Each structure stands twice: as C-alpha cells, then as structure tokens.
Amino acid sequence: MIEKILNDNGLSSFIVENCCEEGVCVTFDSTVSSENYVIIKVDDFFNSLNLKKTPASVDCLVFQRCLDGSYGITLVELKSSSSSGFLDFENIKQKFQNTIDIFIIGKFPKYFFLDYKKFDLYFVSNIEIYKRDLGLKYETLINTKFMYNGKNRMIKPYMPTPTIKNCY
C-alpha cells in the first residue's frame, strides 16, 4: 500500500521526509524503518487545490505499515505556541474533522479509509501539558471525540518531540 501511495499522482508531490512546522516536530523510533511509513502534508494538498475556501486540515498524515503487515495512521497537528490562550481550539478540532471527513473518507478512501490497528490523533505544541491548570479550552480539545469507523478517537496532546513507534 505504501508503494501505491508513493506512486499516486494526486499524493506524491505532498509526500515529505519529516513532519515539522516552526521547530515543532514528531520523530520515529529507531526501530521504525523508513520503508514502513509515508508522511503526507495534508494542509499543502488542500492549499494546492486553489479553492475559494480552503478547508482547515492537520499538518501531517503518517501512514505506517505495522510489523504484522496491518496499517496504522497518525494525524498530526503542530503548533509552536507555548500558551493555550493564543490557540483557536475550534479551528484545531475542525482540522482533525476535515482531515477525516474530506481527505481520508472523501478524497482518498482507497488508501486511508481502512480499519486500522492504530489510529492516533496528535496535537503537538510547546504548551506544558503537565500543568495543573491548562484551561478549559485545552481540556475541551483533548476530550473531544472524533468518530472513525465506528470507534471514538481522542486527541493526544504532546510536547515536542513525540516519537511514533512501531505498531503490532
């Protein structure tokens, strides 16, 4: 499947080697082979369509071949802000929803609308996630549920730089 994605004319120009924005990144565990994942810049894809209103979308979609031959996906939104007060959490929620509804299900279901072994939603920012008082908006964001293939998915907050591990 990774080879098909790499060769897809609609996706190949949006494949990148890393998932980073303004110094905020995700990395891969040293045991994850680069042949077992592909990173797609979803926001670059939507911006290339030159639509009247570009849908908000996450920064990266990581499609990963698991060790048992199944697949996993990680949607990643990156923000360099260190304060939750400056973030538009409604927009962030919309980015995840649009990526699921428009990109995965609407545009590329043959590659991405699968029953995954792992389906993670990462929000990576400089916000100190271990503070006792993160604020109501931030708490609301991480408690928001997204329905995908009949299962609820929740956003996992991380500080830079979380590591994507092998899936089994």
Side-chain angles (χ1 to χ4, degrees):
M1 183 74 77
I2 288 176
E3 295 75 24
K4 289 179 183 178
I5 293 169
L6 290 169
N7 293 317
D8 185 284
N9 290 334
L11 290 173
S12 60
S13 56
F14 306 104
I15 294 172
V16 294
E17 291 190 23
N18 57 49
C19 180
C20 286
E21 288 272 330
E22 300 177 22
V24 177
C25 306
V26 295
T27 60
F28 291 86
D29 188 88
S30 62
T31 62
V32 178
S33 167
S34 62
E35 290 86 40
N36 286 330
Y37 67 87
V38 62
I39 303 169
I40 300 166
K41 293 288 284 184
V42 180
D43 57 345
D44 288 354
F45 169 81
F46 279 121
N47 287 329
S48 76
L49 299 176
N50 298 317
L51 301 171
K52 199 172 200 175
K53 184 171 182 339
T54 302
S57 61
V58 299
D59 293 301
C60 304
L61 179 150
V62 178
F63 183 81
Q64 181 180 9
R65 184 175 21 245
C66 300
L67 293 176
D68 66 0
S70 63
Y71 295 98
I73 229 173
T74 305
L75 301 181
V76 182
E77 176 60 16
L78 305 164
K79 289 289 179 201
S80 62
S81 177
S82 59
S83 169
S84 63
F86 295 106
L87 298 175
D88 181 350
F89 289 107
E90 286 303 315
N91 177 260
I92 294 167
K93 289 191 285 188
Q94 194 62 53
K95 288 179 177 201
F96 283 100
Q97 196 66 59
N98 286 346
T99 302
I100 293 168
D101 293 344
I102 301 170
F103 188 82
I104 291 175
I105 298 171
K107 297 274 186 195
F108 298 101
K110 67 181 179 181
Y111 300 129
F112 305 122
F113 192 49
L114 307 171
D115 189 18
Y116 291 102
K117 183 154 271 193
K118 174 182 102 166
F119 191 95
D120 289 330
L121 309 174
Y122 282 20
F123 176 70
V124 184
S125 73
N126 291 319
I127 298 171
E128 176 60 58
I129 62 174
Y130 302 107
K131 283 186 179 176
R132 285 179 46 186
D133 183 24
L134 287 173
L136 184 58
K137 289 194 300 185
Y138 194 73
E139 287 293 326
T140 302
L141 176 71
I142 61 177
N143 288 316
T144 301
K145 294 177 175 73
F146 297 87
M147 184 62 71
Y148 179 81
N149 255 358
K151 296 176 186 167
N152 281 320
R153 311 295 178 162
M154 294 174 66
I155 296 172
K156 298 175 184 178
Y158 291 98
M159 293 191 68
T161 303
T163 301
I164 295 176
K165 298 181 189 281
N166 274 313
C167 49
Y168 300 92

